[in-house]
Amino acid sequence: MNIPQHVAIILDGNGRWAKSKGMPRNYGHVRGAKNLETICRDAWTIGIKYLTVYLFSTENWKRSEEEVGALMKLFRSYTKTCMQLAAENNMKVRVIGDPSAFAPDLRESLAKLEESSKDNTGLNFQIALNYGSRDELTRAVRRMTKDAVEGVIRPEEISEQLIGDYLDTAGIPDPDLMIRTSGEQRLSNYLLWQLAYAEFYFTPVPWPAFDKAELMKAIEFYNGRERRFGGLKEEKS
Ligand code: IPE
Ligand code: IPE
Ligand code: MG
């Protein structure tokens, strides 16, 4: 079986899952965060080297104050759990998105999480927090323009490679497979540049119920696709 090197997940459906159990939305988020711990381990066992998950979008601030507050609280505790998880499982964690909107203590914990795991050689785990592709591209263009004005780069040097280097995902290979749980079939501003050639897998299963068997189904789907990159089919091994 051909295992995708990089899997990107839009973990959706926490709220609906909780509602179906007669529970508040936040219970879904708590269980969703717990499931993430399991999936990280499973991904590595399966042979996935990079896993990127969408935890909070630049649009998610529009949710109720109560829900945003509960999510921030959850991110605080998740960051601590993740620090331990990274140490135990040799995971290298990187935060993508713009953390400047978060409270100083959360920003600090996120920076610590990245710093403490930066030399780990296991799963490369990217968490997208206050992430939006358009925001990422806007920030990249801003920095690139500043560098051009200051003479650090010349406009004729701007290439696809250089643009990639200015994105939050610099140095990380593009995802091969994108999974969205819970039935919606849209990207919701996720990795628009990076997903140019990824295979897309949509499942009705809500995130808290997405387990290793479901992940294997996504990988089987990926194996059934003919990988093309505009030209010839990639050789299958
Ligand atoms: C995904 O679950 C988690 C976040 C976006 C924070 P949702 O909260 O979007 O759950 P649904 O889609 O409303 O069921
Ligand atoms: C996308 O899910 C963002 C995350 C999973 C963090 P949403 O539930 O926020 O997206 P929409 O609103 O359905 O597009
Ligand atoms: Mg949703």
Side-chain angles (χ1 to χ4, degrees):
M1 183 122 75
N2 188 10
I3 304 298
Q5 175 180 221
H6 184 173
V7 175
I9 309 183
I10 302 179
L11 33 90
D12 198 14
N14 289 348
R16 278 165 284 173
W17 177 84
K19 199 175 163 212
S20 76
K21 304 232 168 297
M23 298 295 282
R25 292 181 59 83
N26 192 43
Y27 175 68
H29 294 316
V30 170
R31 291 291 297 267
K34 197 82 203 142
N35 192 38
L36 202 48
E37 297 174 27
T38 319
I39 290 291
C40 273
R41 286 200 200 94
D42 293 341
W44 183 249
T45 314
I46 290 168
I48 293 164
K49 304 277 185 262
Y50 294 82
L51 180 69
T52 303
V53 297
Y54 207 2
L55 293 190
F56 192 82
S57 75
T58 45
E59 288 69 36
N60 286 148
W61 295 106
K62 293 185 197 132
R63 294 192 178 192
S64 73
E65 217 179 294
E66 186 197 353
E67 183 166 354
V68 171
L71 283 169
M72 293 304 136
K73 207 173 141 204
L74 182 62
F75 295 151
R76 279 191 177 87
S77 71
Y78 178 72
T79 306
K80 293 200 173 74
T81 310
C82 194
M83 182 108 85
Q84 209 175 331
L85 212 67
E88 281 166 17
N89 297 294
N90 197 21
M91 266 161 45
K92 178 174 174 172
V93 188
R94 203 156 121 186
V95 180
I96 61 167
D98 180 9
S100 71
F102 294 129
D105 69 302
L106 179 54
R107 254 170 23 216
E108 206 175 296
S109 304
L110 290 169
K112 244 190 230 162
L113 173 60
E114 283 187 314
E115 177 58 30
S116 67
S117 68
K118 71 177 191 326
D119 297 324
N120 289 349
T121 53
L123 181 73
N124 292 276
F125 182 48
Q126 289 69 237
I127 49 182
L129 277 171
N130 192 27
Y131 177 86
S133 241
R134 290 179 173 183
D135 179 66
E136 177 190 36
L137 284 160
T138 306
R139 286 184 285 105
V141 170
R142 211 177 279 149
R143 275 193 294 127
M144 213 182 287
T145 312
K146 190 167 174 279
D147 284 352
V149 169
E150 291 172 1
V152 179
I153 55 165
R154 284 176 291 119
E156 52 277 21
E157 268 172 8
I158 296 174
S159 59
E160 292 187 7
Q161 166 73 40
L162 190 78
I163 293 173
D165 291 344
Y166 274 83
L167 298 178
D168 298 345
T169 50
I172 296 166
D174 286 342
D176 307 291
L177 171 66
M178 192 286 298
I179 300 171
R180 182 166 186 153
T181 59
S182 214
E184 306 309 331
Q185 302 198 359
R186 56 176 169 265
L187 281 178
S188 301
N189 205 6
Y190 192 42
L191 304 171
L192 302 182
W193 173 277
Q194 297 88 339
L195 291 173
Y197 272 100
E199 299 292 338
F200 287 7
Y201 178 78
F202 299 100
T203 170
V205 176
W207 174 252
F210 187 90
D211 58 11
K212 190 177 181 183
E214 295 297 334
L215 181 58
M216 282 316 296
K217 276 189 210 164
I219 293 171
E220 271 157 29
F221 160 87
Y222 173 81
N223 272 262
R225 309 301 299 169
E226 286 188 354
R227 296 289 286 147
R228 281 172 192 274
F229 298 91
L232 285 173
K233 204 166 56 171
E234 197 185 44
E235 287 287 335
K236 275 195 182 155
S237 53

